[in-house]
Amino acid sequence: MQDLSRFAFSEQGPWTVDPDAMPWRRDVDALRAASQAQVPDWVRRRALPPVLRFVTAGLRVGGALLAWRFTGRRAGGETSRADLSRRLRRAFERLGPSYIKLGQIVSSGQGLFPEELVAEFRQLRDRVPPEPFEKVRRVIEEDLGRPLGEVFASIEPEPLASASIAQVHPAVLRSGEPVVVKVQRPQVASLVRRDLAAMAWIAPWLVGRIPVAALANPPALVELFAETIAEELDFRLEAQNMLDIALLLRDAGQTIVVVPRPHPELVTRRVLVMERLAGFHYDDIEGMKAAGIDTETMVRSLMISFLEGAMIYGVFHGDLHGGNLSVLPDGRVALYDFGMTGRMDEPQRLAFLRMMMTGAVNDVRGQLAAFRDLGALPPDADLDELMRVLKVDQPVRDPTRMSSEELVGEIQDVIKGLLRHGARLPKHLMLYVKNMLFFDGSIARFAPDVNLFGEVAKIYGYFAQKHGARIAREIGFDPGRAQLDLEGMKKSMGLENDVDVLTHRELQARRQAIRARLEEAGPRLRKGA
Ligand SMILES: Nc1ncnc2c1ncn2[C@@H]1O[C@H](COP(=O)(O)OP(=O)(O)OP(=O)(O)O)[C@@H](O)[C@H]1O
Ligand SMILES: [Mg+2]
């Protein structure tokens, strides 16, 4: 197809994309600006707390806990955890989009959150109870300004999938092309605004009361959430994001990812008609294995394409989770859902690039400077003093071999030190961290026995070879000449120098050991501190 030379689309599409001939694109920049202009009002802290929303959330989650306490908990162990997880999942579904999104993040955290919770929350990725079809029909007809039958030869009332913002119905156009129709849930905008009011109220309160929470930077989290969701609520922006990402993937010569083609005309604020791409569900490892798909390569290539988007283009899919992609029979990945697309301006991208490169060669000072430029530290942060806070000059000890008191002491020292220097997670890193959580879970599932050091070396090698000259020009650091510092990486994790292999399974065991140690210290800590 003609558009294939410019965009990372499928070989056989239902139509060709010519961006200049897409009427919905006409005002897309102005729409993007307008959607962002609403954000300050959405996150303005009101004089009075939004009591009703707090009460609803409290009742739903509290109700789930209470019901569990008198039923599932009796069974103990796994059954009890599964029962609680199921009740929480239902409470989150009822609470709506903001909570569903939070649940999706939890569902990516295999190995980080309890197994039963992760398993249950997987449903929140693409199996949320859908809206009745009558409501869906109304949204489509209002937005397209025509009765359903004038546009579609047929449309399935049963959605293919449904998630936080939207549900997706298979359909056939009057002109014969098979498509899917993404339709926005009618209540979503007002629910989100109410949640944002509640979040904006509680975020500064958290910072004042729980010191560690300040590191996670709740007010910026709320702002990021508002910015991204404002964009997600207008599907014309999402369709433009699809074009932008498909364009950069092709420019980078990436073959791993395929983007669905948005329809030339049928794109409105709440309706997005696009090419249907079907593959293996991300949870269907057995299916992929049976089809002979090399899942290790798939995960690595996907990670490279994401990093390349962020480091080289400053644009990336900001919402990677198992519902937002499927794996095609040939091992390529169909990406969906471009509502949340990360965009860094040039100074931010360069700082991000420096953060990654200095990290690879274990240049801690350079990395701190990059963090500072990304907004993680104040502009006048004393980097040398921070190096001392982080004990960079001292030999790192293996955290799995520390006593729980020592471990807790170390962690508290570092956290206090970072807070004293005004450290906080900046917005652009939040989406990055969220995506890395997805990759962490993916490696746990698809490649638990791969040597992570080898993977890091391969990824570094890719960037050195393909983008070395450009990176050298842009940040004055040539990855082709420098050496990836695996020894430094091991050291910073407290690993012995003679450890040459670290698999994700081993990493999980280390995390488990550290967590157990922290839990052990928990009650004493609360008493002592
Ligand atoms: N082009 C497509 N072809 C096939 N399936 C699709 C397509 N687009 C979306 N889907 C399916 O529909 C589901 C819901 O769509 P989408 O993820 O865009 O909705 P959402 O509400 O924005 O999701 P989220 O809660 O992740 O923000 C996806 O998880 C995917 O399974
Ligand atoms: Mg989705």
Side-chain angles (χ1 to χ4, degrees):
M1 311 236 0
Q2 261 173 345
D3 50 8
L4 263 180
S5 59
R6 291 182 62 201
F7 297 97
F9 291 145
S10 66
E11 278 72 30
Q12 298 298 328
W15 52 78
T16 32
V17 165
D18 173 8
D20 295 331
M22 294 174 136
W24 54 263
R25 285 191 63 243
R26 228 169 279 138
D27 302 319
V28 88
D29 289 335
L31 290 170
R32 201 181 293 278
S35 103
Q36 290 310 299
Q38 319 168 72
V39 170
D41 183 49
W42 286 10
V43 300
R44 185 167 54 83
R45 198 171 192 237
R46 325 262 146 174
L48 292 173
V51 178
L52 201 62
R53 196 61 189 147
F54 281 135
V55 172
T56 318
L59 282 179
R60 291 256 185 261
V61 175
L65 291 174
L66 209 66
W68 164 73
R69 187 149 184 328
F70 290 107
T71 56
R73 198 173 92 158
R74 296 214 185 103
E78 238 173 79
T79 320
S80 157
R81 283 196 299 271
D83 182 74
L84 177 60
S85 304
R86 193 165 40 80
R87 290 180 190 282
L88 284 176
R89 192 254 305 154
R90 286 216 208 109
F92 274 37
E93 276 172 358
R94 293 228 185 107
L95 282 166
S98 316
Y99 292 81
I100 295 170
K101 284 189 179 292
L102 186 67
Q104 291 170 347
I105 301 179
V106 172
S107 85
S108 288
Q110 185 165 4
L112 297 176
F113 300 107
E115 215 175 291
E116 294 80 6
L117 193 69
V118 170
E120 188 68 37
F121 277 23
R122 279 200 189 111
Q123 291 197 37
L124 298 178
R125 295 172 181 168
D126 54 5
R127 278 168 288 159
V128 179
E131 307 288 336
F133 190 67
E134 265 324 296
K135 285 193 181 173
V136 170
R137 172 202 293 275
R138 204 171 318 140
V139 173
I140 302 179
E141 293 186 338
E142 273 174 21
D143 267 38
L144 295 184
R146 277 176 278 174
L148 218 51
E150 273 187 28
V151 183
F152 302 101
S154 65
I155 178 163
E156 302 259 341
E158 198 60 34
L160 197 66
S162 55
S164 64
I165 307 254
Q167 57 199 62
V168 167
H169 292 261
V172 178
L173 294 178
R174 285 279 295 259
S175 40
E177 298 89 350
V179 294
V180 296
V181 192
K182 174 168 173 173
V183 186
Q184 193 171 118
R185 294 174 183 271
Q187 289 294 316
V188 75
S190 70
L191 271 174
V192 160
R193 287 197 55 168
R194 259 181 277 165
D195 286 332
L196 275 168
M199 286 185 234
W201 207 88
I202 209 164
W205 184 87
L206 275 178
V207 176
R209 282 184 185 58
I210 311 172
V212 190
L215 267 190
N217 201 358
L221 262 176
V222 173
E223 224 175 272
L224 174 79
F225 183 63
E227 283 169 14
T228 51
I229 207 126
E231 209 175 298
E232 284 187 83
L233 290 176
D234 190 332
F235 290 175
R236 291 164 292 188
L237 306 182
E238 168 163 359
Q240 179 61 45
N241 291 341
M242 295 165 82
L243 297 183
D244 289 345
I245 290 196
L247 192 68
L248 82 83
L249 286 166
R250 180 58 81 237
D251 187 66
Q254 282 296 343
T255 51
I256 180 72
V257 176
V258 182
V259 177
R261 288 174 176 84
H263 190 272
E265 281 136 34
L266 302 172
V267 178
T268 65
R269 183 169 68 83
R270 297 179 301 169
V271 176
L272 169 49
V273 175
M274 60 185 142
E275 174 180 1
R276 176 173 186 179
L277 290 175
F280 292 104
H281 198 276
Y282 204 58
D283 291 332
D284 185 11
I285 306 185
E286 277 69 41
M288 293 183 218
K289 288 259 147 76
I293 293 171
D294 176 356
T295 51
E296 287 171 9
T297 305
M298 185 266 295
V299 173
R300 184 191 314 118
S301 308
L302 191 60
M303 182 145 162
I304 287 179
S305 81
F306 155 62
L307 290 174
E308 189 165 49
M311 287 160 63
I312 308 296
Y313 296 88
V315 178
F316 57 92
H317 190 297
D319 195 15
L320 294 177
H321 67 68
N324 285 346
L325 51 96
S326 67
V327 181
L328 303 175
D330 61 6
R332 287 185 300 171
V333 172
L335 265 193
Y336 311 124
D337 195 357
F338 295 77
M340 206 185 275
T341 294
R343 287 172 192 272
M344 291 186 268
D345 64 21
E346 203 54 4
Q348 286 159 347
R349 178 182 74 82
L350 293 175
F352 182 79
L353 185 57
R354 278 191 282 122
M355 177 192 87
M356 299 300 285
M357 287 296 142
T358 49
V361 296
N362 206 30
D363 163 11
V364 181
R365 200 174 191 288
Q367 204 170 24
L368 285 173
F371 276 131
R372 177 198 57 203
D373 299 343
L374 275 164
L377 296 165
D380 59 350
D382 182 345
L383 301 186
D384 294 307
E385 174 54 27
L386 263 162
M387 304 261 287
R388 279 189 288 279
V389 167
L390 297 173
K391 301 183 185 167
V392 178
D393 48 342
Q394 292 168 36
V396 186
R397 296 176 46 217
D398 186 341
T400 61
R401 295 191 190 166
M402 289 184 197
S403 72
S404 45
E405 281 85 1
E406 283 175 306
L407 186 62
V408 168
E410 291 270 319
I411 293 176
Q412 283 180 333
D413 281 355
V414 170
I415 290 179
K416 275 189 205 141
L418 285 173
L419 284 173
R420 208 171 49 242
H421 285 84
R424 61 208 175 90
L425 189 61
K427 271 187 278 180
H428 286 95
L429 287 185
M430 289 173 181
L431 284 184
Y432 168 75
V433 168
K434 193 163 94 70
N435 276 356
M436 289 319 274
L437 193 68
F438 161 76
F439 282 113
D440 190 275
S442 298
I443 296 170
R445 263 176 103 73
F446 291 113
D449 297 308
V450 162
N451 180 15
L452 297 176
F453 295 135
E455 290 304 300
V456 172
K458 277 184 199 161
I459 294 174
Y460 183 82
Y462 173 90
F463 282 96
Q465 206 207 356
K466 186 162 166 198
H467 297 295
R470 175 177 179 161
I471 294 173
R473 206 166 55 238
E474 288 184 343
I475 60 170
F477 166 87
D478 186 347
R481 297 202 176 181
Q483 276 289 327
L484 172 67
D485 186 3
L486 282 177
E487 299 309 317
M489 221 169 274
K490 287 177 208 167
K491 246 193 240 158
S492 66
M493 295 176 70
L495 290 168
E496 305 289 337
N497 242 340
D498 56 358
V499 180
D500 284 325
V501 176
L502 180 72
T503 66
H504 200 278
R505 217 183 280 283
E506 288 160 349
L507 185 66
Q508 295 274 45
R510 287 176 64 79
R511 286 179 185 161
Q512 193 61 47
I514 294 172
R515 198 176 317 148
R517 208 119 328 153
L518 290 178
E519 273 165 21
E520 214 175 283
R524 260 173 296 154
L525 250 184
R526 274 196 289 278
K527 266 182 239 149

